[in-house]
Amino acid sequence: MVHHDSRFPLRLRFFSFLIFIITMTAVKAQNLQFTITFEIKSLDSNLINDSEIKIYNEENSYSVSTNEKGIAVISLIPGKYKTEAWKNGVQGYSGKISVTKTETFTLLFQEKLNTIEEVVITAKEGKGLTSSSIINQRAMQHLQPSSFSDLLELLPGGRSNDPVLNQANKISLRETGRPGTDYNTSSMGTTFLVNGAPLNSNANLQYSYDFLDKTNNGLKRRLTVNSGVDMRTISTDQIESVEVLRGIPSVVYGNLISGIVKITNKSGYTRWKARFKADGYSKLFAVSKGFENKEKDLKINTGLDYLNAKTDPRDRLESYKRITAHLGIIKEKKYDHGTAKWQSNLSYTGSLDGSKSDPDIDLSELNSYEVNTHFLSLSNVFNYTKNKPSFYRSTEIQATVNQRFDKIKQTKFIQLENATAFPLSRIEGEYDGYYPEARYISNYTVDGKPLDLFVKMINNFQLKSQSMTHEFNAGFDWQMSKNWGKGQLFDIYRPIDPKATFRPRAYRDIPAYMTSALFLESINSLNAGQHKLTLAVGLRGNTMMNLPSSFKMNGKWYADPRANFQWELPSFDLMDKKATVALTLGYGKQSLFPDLNLLYPELIYKDIQQLNYFHNNPDYRRINYKTLIYNPQNPDIEPAMNEKLEARVDFSLGAHQLSVTVFKENMRNAFRSMNEYALYQYKKYDTSGLNHDAITSPPDVNTLPYQTVSENFLYTTQRNGSKVDKEGIEFQYSSNRIPVINTRFTLNGAWFRTKYGNSLPVYRGRDLLINGRPYPYLGLYEGMEPNSVNEVLNTNLMLDTYIPRLDLVFSSSFQFSWYSTRQILPMSGIPSHYVDQNGTVLPYNPDSVKGTILESLIIAQNEDLYNSTRRPMEMNLNLKVTKSFRNKAVVVSMFANRLFSYYTPYNINGFTINRKGAYDPYFGMEINFNL
């Protein structure tokens, strides 16, 4: 008989239960995470920013960087870890930590940091998912800018240029060539964000009827309609940092086509700062102060600056003036479960652009114009962030109100060359006109009051597992722009341009510009051993509201998909330094809606003279017009779309940094003005039968014989007819500071290739007379507009030396433009169709029209026009010096651009072009007080 121990099943059940408990506890422990905060301090107890912390054990590996305050936060699974702290390729700490609860660890960096590595006076290439350039305050101080335009020198491929403050400064990213106003979509589609608040020009309608103004420094060059932001109006004295995103941005940003300029103003405590700059073109004064109450978590920063610039210091009649004031407030409130942050910014910018005539040239002494802008902006950003890890992480709500008061004032002396008459009718029909005085003074005003409202919400969610982090951004934005101005104001009996084909209109009668968007983005990070993979995929839906039902865009949504992928390879040791490699790929689409001027252009008044009877006796004169009104509005216009693709490699070896970006962009439906045709009929009255000496009253059009005439008429409309293709390579390398001489080498540059062209056929007439009458036909030409290919290769080698003992920064930059080329591609002067006298579009056969007047539609081409032009190497040497006194209480800077220049001679059509001495050096200096 076999004896069974009754205790065995009990023990088995007990051990099974124990194993189950241990297993569940282990599983639960794996899912449990604690928030760990790291502080890295130097030997003198100062927090160290931008350092890297590596946390790892046999199962997991993490990496996190300290922020600008020297603090890093990460969620870790309970356990024991080895930790390392690195800064500029130097390992300064190695130790172990045990994670059992939410805790703060302070790591003491044992190695003495080489602080001179922290002095950066040029743009740094960002290492995020999209290619960008970061410009800090010290780099701006060393550059000594007068306006934001000067900062573009620091971008890859950028070069220093003398300030041109007598005309609007438009931004141009990744682009070369001077294509003209038909390619303004790129500058119009670059978004400027100041503390997150957008600067837009959707309701800018400030343009002039003065079509006779053809001078280079004239009124029109000071206007920015359809051109985006005028960079002259952005002061740099209140800026803490600038980030220029050139690649594919997150889907949280929209209604753009080219890039993003993110401007962050100063915040927190700063001493009283005063700056005075003077150069050959301008004088600038700025003052600022920052206050901070740490107990109440309150920061206040305020500043004021004034710029007075002239294109020529000897010319007192033409000037540009700008005044900027800024007030920023940041308030934080910490709660048990989260932190709330409110940021408010109130700013004012006033600019006065003006010119008066020279009495030695213009005897009337009356001609003058002013372009005045007063800009008020109030932006508020509220952010709430959870303290503890959870699926919901944060919400950001932004609301911005921008109000501009724009005004053009022009006075012009008009002297008519012949018996000119003016039409007066504002409705269609046959009406008598008006014979003005032979000489008169025209007073002309354009009144604009654009109001911009912008609201945006972004919600952030996160999911974390052992080796993966899932982050989601979801939200919306809405913007409205309305111009409440009175518009064009002038006496119709004394127009600014006798040949103008418009009538005054009030801007307030134009409907409001309104768009909205929804966006969703997923950012996934995976730590696979020593590898880190990050993928951001997002979709943005855009729509334009408040449109007439006839518009193609009405009720339609446009999708902008974007994706960025980054692979950070395992770090390794090379030459006793830490080396890292990261590969980044990006693809995306960006769309830009047309602004108010493109959506609602002015009506065109076609005034045809039917009778012009000019008698010596003014009482017997008569001018009769037939007025026709054409609406150039294009209901088929759609958003411009830019497709972007780029790849980037980032390599670092200690303090050595190398970044290379290859990109390609295609935009095939940008905005441009294009010809449209119309057929009209009018009466041509015959006065040959009148006895001019015997008449006692003006001719009666009801009794005069006449001939009915039919003609074609061309007018302009806005269409999606421009194409801009960009491709290029951008690169930047910066070395460590070489010991003893404390000098860093920075080499950056870019090769750009930009192709401009017209993607739609165009109508053209011929400036010919047939039997005393205008040429009756129009041609429709494919590829008749010039298509140009432009290339440039620029590099900039900067050597900057920092001497801590003297607190002196000295830099010299050798800027090379190795070559620049431009070629106009061959055009066909043969139309595909033609428009006859009845307005009918017919096919055009060049063989069958020989010997007829239709043959005149064939436009002869100049083959020499298609020869490529090439400008060879140009080199400029620029010097800059910054010296601090009394612990930076006084900082003195000076610069000398083009101190030495070399321009390679080149030949054009057998003639040698020698540019030696073509450009003079440009000097300036400034002094800063920090009290």
Side-chain angles (χ1 to χ4, degrees):
M1 180 176 179
V2 180
H3 177 73
H4 294 279
D5 190 351
S6 61
R7 294 174 298 175
F8 180 75
L10 179 62
R11 293 174 181 173
L12 181 61
R13 287 194 297 269
F14 172 77
F15 282 113
S16 298
F17 178 73
L18 181 62
I19 293 173
F20 174 76
I21 293 297
I22 294 174
T23 303
M24 292 302 296
T25 303
V27 171
K28 184 176 182 180
Q30 289 293 320
N31 293 328
L32 181 64
Q33 293 184 346
F34 294 111
T35 300
I36 303 300
T37 302
F38 289 99
E39 293 181 342
I40 299 185
K41 292 186 176 181
S42 62
L43 293 174
D44 53 2
S45 298
N46 291 323
L47 290 170
I48 301 173
N49 61 359
D50 295 330
S51 56
E52 183 184 13
I53 306 172
K54 298 172 66 176
I55 310 107
Y56 58 93
N57 56 21
E58 294 180 355
E59 299 176 353
N60 303 300
S61 176
Y62 306 93
S63 178
V64 65
S65 297
T66 57
N67 59 18
E68 67 277 2
K69 297 181 179 179
I71 297 174
V73 180
I74 190 173
S75 297
L76 296 177
I77 299 171
K80 294 182 178 181
Y81 295 89
K82 293 181 180 180
T83 58
E84 296 177 0
W86 294 76
K87 175 71 174 180
N88 293 328
V90 177
Q91 181 178 341
Y93 175 86
S94 180
K96 296 180 180 180
I97 62 172
S98 178
V99 176
T100 59
K101 60 181 180 179
T102 297
E103 193 173 355
T104 298
F105 293 96
T106 299
L107 311 182
L108 189 62
F109 207 91
Q110 298 294 330
E111 293 292 331
K112 184 177 180 180
L113 286 175
N114 190 358
T115 56
I116 64 173
E117 293 289 356
E118 302 303 305
V119 179
V120 179
I121 61 172
T122 187
K124 294 177 63 177
E125 284 297 285
K127 295 184 178 181
L129 290 175
T130 183
S131 57
S132 66
S133 297
I134 302 170
I135 305 170
N136 62 24
Q137 192 176 7
R138 187 149 193 173
M140 286 185 282
Q141 183 184 59
H142 189 69
L143 185 66
Q144 305 163 60
S146 296
S147 72
F148 192 89
S149 306
D150 298 329
L151 300 186
L152 300 185
E153 172 189 347
L154 301 178
L155 303 183
R159 302 188 68 199
S160 64
N161 294 290
D162 293 355
V164 183
L165 297 172
N166 67 329
Q167 66 183 52
N169 292 181
K170 300 180 295 184
I171 194 169
S172 177
L173 297 177
R174 290 180 164 179
E175 197 168 337
T176 184
R178 297 181 178 180
T181 57
D182 283 333
Y183 302 94
N184 279 338
T185 307
S186 293
S187 59
M188 177 183 170
T190 300
T191 295
F192 282 77
L193 299 175
V194 181
N195 298 317
L199 301 177
N200 69 60
S201 57
N202 297 320
N204 177 20
L205 297 169
Q206 294 301 100
Y207 51 84
S208 171
Y209 286 155
D210 188 5
F211 299 101
L212 297 180
D213 175 37
K214 302 296 184 182
T215 60
N216 288 335
N217 295 325
L219 172 63
K220 290 185 178 180
R221 296 178 66 86
R222 302 171 187 259
L223 306 179
T224 58
V225 63
N226 303 137
S227 300
V229 174
D230 184 357
M231 292 186 292
R232 294 180 303 169
T233 63
I234 302 178
S235 167
T236 61
D237 289 284
Q238 313 307 324
I239 296 177
E240 180 71 29
S241 64
V242 175
E243 184 177 12
V244 181
L245 281 72
R246 310 184 307 273
I248 297 98
S250 165
V251 292
V252 301
Y253 305 108
N255 206 17
L256 56 92
I257 207 75
S258 183
I260 300 174
V261 178
K262 298 174 67 175
I263 298 173
T264 302
N265 284 334
K266 299 175 184 177
S267 64
Y269 170 79
T270 60
R271 293 186 290 177
W272 280 104
K273 293 186 177 183
R275 176 191 180 208
F276 176 75
K277 176 190 175 182
D279 57 37
Y281 298 93
S282 63
K283 294 178 177 62
L284 185 149
F285 176 76
V287 62
S288 64
K289 178 70 174 83
F291 307 89
E292 185 171 357
N293 187 327
K294 294 185 178 180
E295 293 181 358
K296 297 183 178 180
D297 289 322
L298 179 66
K299 300 177 182 179
I300 300 176
N301 206 280
T302 184
L304 177 71
D305 66 83
Y306 173 75
L307 171 70
N308 189 343
K310 297 182 181 295
T311 56
D312 188 333
R314 300 164 296 182
D315 185 359
R316 59 184 177 85
L317 302 173
E318 186 172 11
S319 65
Y320 172 75
K321 299 176 183 178
R322 182 193 69 214
I323 183 169
T324 303
H326 172 259
L327 174 64
I329 301 174
I330 298 178
K331 171 67 176 174
E332 288 190 11
K333 181 70 174 178
K334 296 182 179 179
Y335 300 95
D336 293 338
H337 300 290
T339 301
K341 179 180 178 181
W342 170 66
Q343 181 176 359
S344 181
N345 289 276
L346 176 65
S347 62
Y348 164 78
T349 300
S351 61
L352 172 62
D353 222 338
S355 176
K356 296 181 180 180
S357 60
D358 189 342
D360 295 331
I361 299 175
D362 180 9
L363 299 181
S364 70
E365 301 185 29
L366 295 172
N367 293 347
S368 66
Y369 59 79
E370 293 181 357
V371 182
N372 298 338
T373 299
H374 300 278
F375 175 76
L376 288 168
S377 177
L378 175 62
S379 67
N380 289 276
V381 179
F382 174 80
N383 187 286
Y384 177 78
T385 305
K386 289 287 294 292
N387 291 334
K388 297 181 179 180
S390 64
F391 176 63
Y392 166 73
R393 290 297 298 152
S394 66
T395 293
E396 180 177 291
I397 301 174
Q398 177 188 330
T400 302
V401 180
N402 296 336
Q403 176 67 69
R404 284 175 48 177
F405 300 90
D406 299 334
K407 189 157 289 188
I408 299 174
K409 295 181 179 179
Q410 187 174 10
T411 299
K412 192 169 186 178
F413 174 74
I414 305 293
Q415 182 166 350
L416 302 176
E417 298 177 354
N418 48 39
T420 304
F422 299 151
L424 303 177
S425 175
R426 302 192 66 167
I427 59 176
E428 290 189 326
E430 298 181 2
Y431 305 93
D432 284 351
Y434 165 72
Y435 285 108
E437 300 175 1
R439 299 192 300 176
Y440 64 87
I441 298 172
S442 178
N443 292 305
Y444 177 63
T445 300
V446 184
D447 177 65
K449 295 182 177 68
L451 172 67
D452 300 313
L453 303 178
F454 182 79
V455 178
K456 186 174 187 176
M457 174 184 279
I458 305 174
N459 298 289
N460 180 263
F461 307 90
Q462 289 185 5
L463 286 174
K464 291 187 177 181
S465 61
Q466 184 172 350
S467 58
M468 287 195 68
T469 300
H470 306 273
E471 185 176 349
F472 305 94
N473 291 314
F476 73 93
D477 64 48
W478 172 88
Q479 62 178 322
M480 188 273 286
S481 298
K482 171 70 177 177
N483 197 315
W484 296 99
K486 297 178 182 178
Q488 312 279 345
L489 304 173
F490 62 94
D491 184 352
I492 60 174
Y493 294 96
R494 291 177 174 84
I496 195 74
D497 185 350
K499 297 180 180 179
T501 59
F502 299 96
R503 306 290 192 272
R505 72 163 175 172
Y507 292 160
R508 63 184 62 177
D509 296 335
I510 300 174
Y513 171 102
M514 196 177 298
T515 65
S516 64
L518 300 172
F519 51 83
L520 177 63
E521 182 178 45
S522 172
I523 305 173
N524 304 282
S525 299
L526 170 64
N527 290 311
Q530 298 295 317
H531 298 260
K532 183 177 181 180
L533 306 176
T534 304
L535 174 64
V537 180
L539 180 65
R540 180 183 180 91
N542 311 279
T543 187
M544 174 163 269
M545 302 179 291
N546 197 39
L547 285 174
S549 58
S550 59
F551 271 80
K552 189 175 182 179
M553 293 186 295
N554 181 47
K556 189 174 180 180
W557 285 82
Y558 296 87
D560 289 0
R562 300 173 197 168
N564 288 285
F565 171 74
Q566 187 173 75
W567 177 18
E568 298 178 41
L569 280 72
S571 60
F572 57 94
D573 293 333
L574 180 64
M575 296 185 292
D576 297 327
K577 292 182 174 62
K578 179 186 175 183
T580 64
V581 179
L583 306 176
T584 307
L585 298 174
Y587 170 82
K589 290 185 177 181
Q590 300 171 174
S591 58
L592 175 70
F593 286 108
D595 64 8
L596 279 185
N597 189 58
L598 298 172
L599 291 171
Y600 304 100
E602 286 203 73
L603 297 176
I604 296 175
Y605 290 78
K606 179 64 176 176
D607 302 295
I608 311 105
Q609 284 190 9
Q610 300 189 124
L611 171 67
N612 188 352
Y613 186 77
F614 190 85
H615 198 277
N616 291 332
N617 187 340
D619 295 333
Y620 301 158
R621 298 171 186 170
R622 186 166 190 179
I623 179 75
N624 183 267
Y625 288 94
K626 182 174 184 179
T627 298
L628 299 171
I629 302 176
Y630 296 92
N631 187 354
Q633 186 180 73
N634 177 17
D636 293 328
I637 195 168
E638 289 194 281
M641 181 72 70
N642 193 16
E643 188 175 25
K644 306 179 73 169
L645 178 67
E646 72 171 28
R648 188 176 85 247
V649 177
D650 295 304
F651 173 76
S652 67
L653 179 63
H656 297 263
Q657 306 285 333
L658 173 65
S659 177
V660 180
T661 304
V662 181
F663 69 88
K664 187 175 181 62
E665 302 182 16
N666 294 313
M667 180 166 53
R668 302 302 174 88
N669 64 338
F671 311 122
R672 75 182 293 136
S673 297
M674 299 188 66
N675 287 336
E676 188 57 77
Y677 79 92
L679 178 71
Y680 64 89
Q681 290 184 336
Y682 67 98
K683 301 172 182 176
K684 190 68 175 177
Y685 289 101
D686 184 6
T687 60
S688 60
L690 295 179
N691 185 347
H692 308 299
D693 297 327
I695 65 172
T696 58
S697 63
D700 184 0
V701 294
N702 295 316
T703 59
L704 286 177
Y706 65 85
Q707 177 186 2
T708 301
V709 180
S710 297
E711 291 182 0
N712 289 312
F713 167 58
L714 287 177
Y715 62 92
T716 60
T717 185
Q718 300 294 335
R719 301 179 67 185
N720 298 99
S722 284
K723 60 181 179 181
V724 182
D725 294 338
K726 305 178 187 178
E727 58 182 329
I729 302 173
E730 301 166 321
F731 58 90
Q732 176 160 313
Y733 162 75
S734 61
S735 72
N736 66 326
R737 289 200 179 274
I738 300 174
V740 181
I741 62 174
N742 293 341
T743 299
R744 172 189 284 124
F745 291 83
T746 302
L747 174 65
N748 69 30
W751 170 78
F752 294 141
R753 186 176 189 267
T754 309
K755 182 178 179 181
Y756 303 100
N758 184 7
S759 57
L760 296 175
V762 295
Y763 288 102
R764 279 195 177 185
R766 299 306 309 273
D767 190 13
L768 302 172
L769 292 177
I770 306 295
N771 297 325
R773 304 296 307 150
Y775 186 76
Y777 300 109
L778 301 174
L780 181 63
Y781 299 85
E782 297 275 357
M784 188 57 194
E785 294 293 311
N787 288 359
S788 65
V789 179
N790 306 265
E791 284 188 27
V792 68
L793 174 61
N794 293 339
T795 62
N796 182 11
L797 174 63
M798 175 183 283
L799 290 73
D800 68 272
T801 302
Y802 175 50
I803 305 176
R805 184 170 58 87
L806 301 177
D807 207 353
L808 173 70
V809 179
F810 175 88
S811 71
S812 57
S813 61
F814 298 84
Q815 297 186 344
F816 291 84
S817 176
W818 295 99
Y819 75 90
S820 60
T821 64
R822 173 180 172 83
Q823 183 177 15
I824 297 179
L825 302 180
M827 296 178 288
S828 172
I830 302 175
S832 61
H833 296 77
Y834 74 97
V835 182
D836 66 11
Q837 293 171 292
N838 298 318
T840 305
V841 180
L842 301 170
Y844 187 87
N845 188 335
D847 296 328
S848 62
V849 300
K850 290 182 178 179
T852 67
I853 62 172
L854 278 172
E855 190 176 11
S856 298
L857 286 175
I858 299 176
I859 303 175
Q861 300 298 298
N862 182 1
E863 297 298 329
D864 293 336
L865 183 67
Y866 307 136
N867 295 331
S868 175
T869 59
R870 181 184 179 95
R871 290 167 64 98
M873 190 267 286
E874 304 175 1
M875 189 277 286
N876 298 320
L877 170 62
N878 304 330
L879 299 179
K880 294 179 175 63
V881 180
T882 301
K883 175 70 173 73
S884 300
F885 301 91
R886 297 181 180 272
N887 195 24
K888 299 187 185 299
V890 180
V891 181
V892 179
S893 305
M894 63 84 63
F895 66 89
N897 289 350
R898 296 190 305 275
L899 188 63
F900 171 78
S901 300
Y902 175 75
Y903 303 93
T904 305
Y906 62 99
N907 296 318
I908 294 181
N909 297 328
F911 294 94
T912 300
I913 308 298
N914 194 331
R915 296 171 288 168
K916 183 179 180 180
Y919 304 97
D920 296 326
Y922 168 43
F923 300 93
M925 68 171 298
E926 69 175 52
I927 183 169
N928 292 264
F929 298 95
N930 302 302
L931 307 177

